[in-house]
């Protein structure tokens, strides 16, 4: 009856965050003596590094550049509601059955705790490119139910699915951040592409993140500064997920067999009610296309529920390496959320940053430390 709880263990909704590398190249403007002095001095500086391309030209035009290469370490926490549909289940590599009509998800929530390492390079003064290597521990909690039709062809829940599953993921990817700054104000359009390997999945999970931001950098003495920003966070992921899991890791035999037996009884009662309703109809009413459609739909759903329970029972009680196969489509409940963040620059080599996302069904926190150097 609760055969789908294992499916959630394979769902990854794991956001890798996006960072701003010493926020951007900044065009020095204004008539303050320190700004005029800095802009004039930059016009005569010999740029000593290979990156970014055109570094010498933009320095001489009055842009202050960050060090071209950085390495950062970030901690990420994220929690998000997800939508699941097109659920199919099979046992021991047998036939897969679509269970959308009889298994309905009330709520599914994915939580991630992880860390990543990110090398980055200013390839051009307006474009930062970075790589991502991440490890995470993930939890997926679901509330769902098994539904069947009754004699009036109304659907009722005959069992609850409340479960939580834990799994690990390894992620790799890359990102691009086009950005521009003038007078301390800046805009960044961060985007990254990642693939996460989870042993329960047939293929890596793909995620695309887009994070536009606008902000202001306030400079202090001795190279210290504080950048503050606000923006959005959009997530797109490949919708299809499929894989196989061991039954022994999912179904404690005694506990689940009792629930399966209870499900059998409720399905049998439902079938009796549907048959009684059909028998009570006059021959003329039994020819009514609407009644025929209701009767066939109810029988198909009850047969599917019975087959699902039968497959679960056989799998739970099979000695040896019994497995369950699955496929499903998933998506975030909300693609966008709002975010605010800040980065404190201790000096041009070392920065600390933090960011928080909210105002949707997704919440996230990112904190990190970055070191920059010349190349």
């Amino acid at each position: 009856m609760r055969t789908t709880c294992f499916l959630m263990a394979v769902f990854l909704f794991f956001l890798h965050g996006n960072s701003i590398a010493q926020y951007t190249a900044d065009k020095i403007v204004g008539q303050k003596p320190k700004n005029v002095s800095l802009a004039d001095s930059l016009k005569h500086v010999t740029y000593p590094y290979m990156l970014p391309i055109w570094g010498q030209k933009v320095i001489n035009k009055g842009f202050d550049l960050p060090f071209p290469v950085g390495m950062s370490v970030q901690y990420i926490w994220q929690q998000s509601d997800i939508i699941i549909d097109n659920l199919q289940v099979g046992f021991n590599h047998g036939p897969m059955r679509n269970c959308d009509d009889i298994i309905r998800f009330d709520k599914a929530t994915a939580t991630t705790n992880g860390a990543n390492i990110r090398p980055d390079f200013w390839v051009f003064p307006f474009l930062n490119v970075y790589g991502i290597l991440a490890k995470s521990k993930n939890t997926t909690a679901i509330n769902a139910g098994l539904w069947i039709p009754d004699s009036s062809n109304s659907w009722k829940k005959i069992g609850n699915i409340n479960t939580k599953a834990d799994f690990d993921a390894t992620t790799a990817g890359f990102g691009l951040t086009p950005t521009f700054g003038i007078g301390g104000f800046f805009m960044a359009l961060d985007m990254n592409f990642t693939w996460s390997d989870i042993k329960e999945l047939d293929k890596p999970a793909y995620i695309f993140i887009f994070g536009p931001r606008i902000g202001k950098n306030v400079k202090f003495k001795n190279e210290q500064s504080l950048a503050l920003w606000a923006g959005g966070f959009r997530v797109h992921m490949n919708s299809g997920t499929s894989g196989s899991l061991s039954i022994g890791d999912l179904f404690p035999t005694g506990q689940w067999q009792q629930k399966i037996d209870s499900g059998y009884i409720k399905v049998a009662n439902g079938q009796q009610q549907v048959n009684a309703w059909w028998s009570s109809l006059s021959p003329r009413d039994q020819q009514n296309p609407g009644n025929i459609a209701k009767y066939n739909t109810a029988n198909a759903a009850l047969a599917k529920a019975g087959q699902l329970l039968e497959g679960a029972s056989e799998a739970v009680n099979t000695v040896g390496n019994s497995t369950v196969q699955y496929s499903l489509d998933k998506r975030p409940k909300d693609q966008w959320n709002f975010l605010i963040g800040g980065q404190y620059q201790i000096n041009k080599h070392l920065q600390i940053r933090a960011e928080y996302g909210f105002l949707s069904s997704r919440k996230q926190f990112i904190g990190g430390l970055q070191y920059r150097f010349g190349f």
Side-chain angles (χ1 to χ4, degrees):
M1 182 176 61
R2 297 188 184 183
T3 54
T4 59
C5 70
F6 70 91
L7 293 173
M8 307 317 301
V10 301
F11 176 73
L12 173 67
F13 191 63
F14 159 31
L15 304 184
H16 312 291
N18 32 17
S19 67
I20 297 176
Q22 194 184 322
Y23 76 102
T24 184
D26 183 34
K27 173 68 172 177
I28 305 301
V29 297
Q31 298 303 313
K32 291 183 179 181
K34 65 177 182 179
N35 290 344
V36 174
S37 175
L38 177 58
D40 288 340
S41 66
L42 289 173
K43 295 178 181 179
H44 306 287
V45 166
T46 299
Y47 190 68
Y49 306 119
M50 294 177 60
L51 293 176
I53 298 170
W54 303 329
Q56 183 67 63
K57 291 183 178 180
V58 296
I59 280 282
N60 294 155
K61 290 183 179 295
F63 282 85
D64 185 20
L65 296 181
F67 284 120
V69 182
M71 180 67 71
S72 63
V73 178
Q74 299 185 93
Y75 165 78
I76 300 160
W77 172 86
Q78 178 274 141
Q79 188 175 78
S80 177
D81 291 344
I82 54 177
I83 304 298
I84 298 172
D85 51 27
N86 195 25
L87 172 65
Q88 300 188 55
V89 180
F91 298 94
N92 293 330
H93 300 282
M96 300 285 284
R97 298 182 178 88
N98 187 291
C99 300
D100 268 354
D101 51 348
I102 61 173
I103 296 177
R104 302 179 185 181
F105 294 91
D106 300 320
K107 186 174 183 180
T109 303
T111 303
T112 290
N113 281 282
N116 66 39
I117 298 174
R118 305 169 65 113
D120 75 86
F121 307 86
W122 284 101
V123 178
F124 295 100
F126 53 84
L127 179 65
N128 184 264
V129 178
Y130 58 88
I132 301 172
L133 180 62
K135 294 284 290 186
S136 67
K137 291 187 176 296
N138 308 276
T139 299
T140 303
I142 66 165
N143 297 313
L146 180 62
W147 291 73
I148 61 172
D150 58 19
S151 58
S152 63
N153 210 48
S154 298
W155 290 72
K156 61 182 180 181
K157 185 189 292 186
I158 65 170
N160 292 310
I161 302 172
N162 300 300
T163 188
K164 182 182 291 185
D166 301 317
F167 54 102
D168 298 331
T170 300
T171 299
F174 68 95
L176 308 170
T177 307
T179 181
F180 180 76
I182 181 169
F185 292 93
F186 63 90
M187 179 176 64
L189 303 175
D190 188 78
M191 59 197 81
N192 63 56
F193 311 79
T194 59
W195 292 263
S196 296
D197 182 43
I198 308 169
K199 67 178 182 179
E200 293 86 357
L201 295 182
D202 289 340
K203 59 182 181 180
Y206 166 73
I207 296 176
F208 169 69
I209 295 174
F210 176 57
R213 296 169 176 80
I214 56 174
K216 177 71 167 72
N217 186 61
V218 180
K219 293 184 178 181
F220 307 121
K221 61 181 180 179
N222 299 327
E223 297 185 338
Q224 296 180 6
S225 65
L226 177 64
L228 299 173
W229 61 80
F233 193 87
R234 184 184 186 276
V235 177
H236 171 76
M237 59 197 310
N238 59 330
S239 62
T241 296
S242 62
S244 179
L245 293 169
S246 171
I247 290 293
D249 296 335
L250 300 169
F251 300 108
T253 303
Q255 173 188 351
W256 283 97
Q257 191 59 57
Q258 292 177 4
K259 299 178 183 299
I260 291 169
D261 291 342
S262 175
Y264 271 132
I265 294 172
K266 293 177 180 178
V267 169
N269 290 338
Q271 186 66 67
Q272 290 177 359
Q273 293 178 28
V274 170
N275 291 340
W277 165 75
W278 181 255
S279 298
S280 68
L281 297 177
S282 67
R284 180 177 179 180
D285 287 337
Q286 288 183 353
Q287 298 300 316
N288 184 300
N291 289 333
I292 294 174
K294 291 181 179 180
Y295 183 57
N296 290 338
T297 299
N299 281 332
L302 289 164
K304 188 183 298 183
Q307 292 167 355
L308 189 65
L309 291 167
E310 182 179 356
S313 180
E314 291 178 357
V316 166
N317 292 286
T318 297
V319 177
N321 187 25
S322 187
T323 59
V324 59
Q325 286 69 51
Y326 63 88
S327 69
L328 55 86
D329 292 335
K330 78 283 185 186
R331 65 185 186 276
K333 183 177 180 180
D334 296 297
Q335 286 193 322
W336 283 94
N337 65 281
F338 183 73
L339 60 82
I340 56 175
Q343 176 174 281
Y344 178 67
Q345 177 174 289
I346 300 171
N347 54 53
K348 294 193 75 170
H349 288 286
L350 192 62
Q351 297 92 34
I352 302 172
R353 72 180 295 266
E355 189 172 80
Y356 184 67
F358 56 102
L359 291 183
S360 77
S361 62
R362 178 171 58 251
K363 299 184 292 291
Q364 76 226 41
F365 171 78
I366 303 171
L369 179 67
Q370 180 178 112
Y371 182 79
R372 306 202 63 78
F373 53 94
F375 176 75

